[in-house]
């Protein structure tokens, strides 16, 4: 698969057909819901490949939560790993204040759990405990930390003579 052919696109009205058709596909909506108002689309060589959304998980922490879903013909080709890694890198590059990106995964979604682990995300037991306290016994949280978080480069405006 030529990953240079993968493109990400924000919602626009011409994409309604994708939301109207694929949101009825249980294989996409089984674990996460997407809407045109909070999601974007993934294309492969101008062919619709799936959805993603990037939301602020916690306003106080400025962490992000990433969700993706590919249509069946684009699964098991390495595309999901590429998408997760690329979007995570973009989040960290564009927002130095974002410390973590999280993936919320249903405990029965073994393919997504393997994906998270293969992309270097680690299970976040402390966030899972918060979910359990709220009655959510199905969701696992995997997290990765921005390696540049908190680093500040000081620029000196003085010249040595």
């Amino acid at each position: 698969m030529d990953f240079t052919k993968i493109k990400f696109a924000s919602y626009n009205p011409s994409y309604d057909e994708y939301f109207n058709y694929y949101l009825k596909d249980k294989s996409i909506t089984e674990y996460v819901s997407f809407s045109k108002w909070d999601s974007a689309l993934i294309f492969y060589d101008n062919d619709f490949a799936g959805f993603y959304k990037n939301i602020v998980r916690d306003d106080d922490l400025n962490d992000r939560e990433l969700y993706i879903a590919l249509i069946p013909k684009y699964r098991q080709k390495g595309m999901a790993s590429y998408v997760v890694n690329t979007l995570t890198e973009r989040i960290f590059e564009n927002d130095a204040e974002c410390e973590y990106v999280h993936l919320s995964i249903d405990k029965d979604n073994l393919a997504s759990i393997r994906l998270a682990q293969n992309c270097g995300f680690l299970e976040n037991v402390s966030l899972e405990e918060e979910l359990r306290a709220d009655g959510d016994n199905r969701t696992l949280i995997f997290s990765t930390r921005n390696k540049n978080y908190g680093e500040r480069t000081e620029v000196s405006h003085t010249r040595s003579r």
Side-chain angles (χ1 to χ4, degrees), residues 43-93:
F43 291 91
Y44 182 78
D45 199 22
N46 297 319
D47 185 31
F48 175 69
F51 300 101
Y52 77 94
K53 65 181 172 181
N54 164 12
I55 62 172
V56 175
R57 178 169 177 33
D58 184 333
D59 288 330
D60 294 334
L61 299 175
N62 199 27
D63 289 356
R64 298 287 188 276
E65 194 154 8
L66 186 59
Y67 296 90
I68 73 160
L70 299 177
I71 64 171
K73 77 178 189 178
Y74 287 107
R75 295 179 190 158
Q76 299 181 350
K77 298 178 184 315
M79 182 185 270
S81 295
Y82 175 83
V83 168
V84 166
N85 288 331
T86 300
L87 293 175
T88 300
E89 287 172 19
R90 287 182 182 181
I91 291 167
F92 289 152
E93 286 172 5

Side-chain angles (χ1 to χ4, degrees), residues 6 15 44 63 72 80 100-101 106 109 118 130 136 144 151:
I6 296 173
Y15 295 153
Y44 182 78
D63 289 356
Y100 288 96
V101 169
D106 186 280
N109 189 344
N118 290 340
E130 289 177 30
D136 181 347
T144 191
E151 288 184 9

Side-chain angles (χ1 to χ4, degrees), residues 90-141:
R90 287 182 182 181
I91 291 167
F92 289 152
E93 286 172 5
N94 293 326
D95 186 357
E97 297 303 314
C98 178
E99 184 174 8
Y100 288 96
V101 169
H102 307 284
L103 304 174
S104 293
I105 301 172
D106 186 280
K107 67 180 183 180
D108 292 335
N109 189 344
L110 300 179
S112 291
I113 292 169
R114 280 191 304 275
L115 166 77
Q117 293 167 334
N118 290 340
C119 289
F121 284 72
L122 301 174
E123 190 168 356
N124 191 324
V125 177
S126 62
L127 288 179
E128 290 173 1
E129 287 173 359
E130 289 177 30
L131 292 175
R132 303 299 173 264
D134 291 337
D136 181 347
N137 294 317
R138 298 213 44 87
T139 304
L140 302 176
I141 305 291

Side-chain angles (χ1 to χ4, degrees), residues 25-42:
D25 182 344
K26 187 168 171 55
S27 73
I28 291 178
T29 60
E30 182 175 11
Y31 297 116
V32 63
S33 64
F34 292 91
S35 77
K36 57 188 172 187
W37 309 115
D38 69 356
S39 305
L41 290 88
I42 303 164

